[in-house]
Amino acid sequence: MANKVKFGLSKCYYAVWTEEGDTYANPVALPGAVNLSLTQSGGETNFRADNVDYWTTFSNGGYSGSLELAKVPDAFKVDVLGEAMDSTNGIQYELGNAQPKAFALLFQVEGDDEGIRFAFYNCKCSRPSVESQTTSGDSIEPATETLDITAKARPVDDLIKGVAVEGSSSYADWFTAVKKPTI
């Protein structure tokens, strides 16, 4: 039986991608996933001739959106966003000329019948904003951090996204290494 509904974001991971050599580092956990929203990019193109839509095509520009986390891990800021850690004084620095690295984003969504695991293979993201607020006295409301993400086709093979459902051969070890197609 297939899922009728899906819910519950969990098990977010990232794996830095090196285009030269087409290799991914081992996936690293991105704990505290609150919300992921990726909207498809691209659209329809019509060519009119003979007073009709003579030719129609659709472009796939990947996806863009955001990943909201309880807190962006410091390791992610170093690995992907290019921040630097000074081991002498323990300060982590944001560098003005740092460029974000491409990475695979792996995560799981629950369903009423089976879990679904996703991989977006060529992601880049922006730095999170810095926000904080005072406590209200009797309660504490945690602040979150959001990464703006784009997921585009890999230039080496046009791959954008992979999906595995519970019971498939790749499902069990989905988060141990980034699975690339053999098609």
Side-chain angles (χ1 to χ4, degrees):
M1 182 168 124
N3 287 327
K4 293 178 185 171
V5 295
K6 60 183 179 174
F7 51 86
L9 172 66
S10 64
K11 299 180 182 169
C12 282
Y13 286 76
Y14 71 94
V16 174
W17 179 47
T18 303
E19 184 177 347
E20 185 180 315
D22 188 19
T23 58
Y24 287 94
N26 290 330
V28 177
L30 269 172
V34 175
N35 184 41
L36 175 66
S37 177
L38 295 174
T39 303
Q40 63 87 16
S41 299
E44 178 180 353
T45 302
N46 291 309
F47 174 74
R48 302 253 327 150
D50 295 332
N51 290 325
V52 297
D53 288 341
Y54 190 77
W55 177 78
T56 301
T57 189
F58 293 86
S59 64
N60 186 342
Y63 298 83
S64 63
S66 61
L67 173 61
E68 182 182 4
L69 300 167
K71 181 183 177 303
V72 177
D74 291 339
F76 181 87
K77 292 176 182 178
V78 171
D79 295 345
V80 174
L81 299 178
E83 291 190 5
M85 177 59 81
D86 186 332
S87 59
T88 306
N89 62 20
I91 298 175
Q92 187 164 325
Y93 294 97
E94 179 180 318
L95 305 171
N97 62 353
Q99 291 298 311
K101 294 180 184 171
F103 63 97
L105 177 64
L106 311 170
F107 59 92
Q108 179 171 316
V109 175
E110 302 304 323
D112 59 313
D113 186 50
E114 58 195 9
I116 310 160
R117 293 184 171 171
F118 292 83
F120 284 85
Y121 293 98
N122 182 19
C123 298
K124 286 207 174 171
C125 70
S126 66
R127 302 177 326 267
S129 296
V130 177
E131 297 179 36
S132 194
Q133 61 189 17
T134 190
T135 58
S136 66
D138 10 340
S139 66
I140 297 174
E141 183 68 32
T144 60
E145 296 180 335
T146 301
L147 299 168
D148 291 329
I149 294 180
T150 59
K152 302 289 184 185
R154 290 171 10 131
V156 296
D157 57 12
D158 216 29
L159 184 63
I160 297 175
K161 175 179 76 171
V163 179
V165 294
E166 210 167 328
S168 67
S169 62
S170 295
Y171 188 86
D173 63 348
W174 190 255
F175 301 109
T176 60
V178 176
K179 311 293 186 272
K180 294 184 290 186
T182 56
I183 52 174

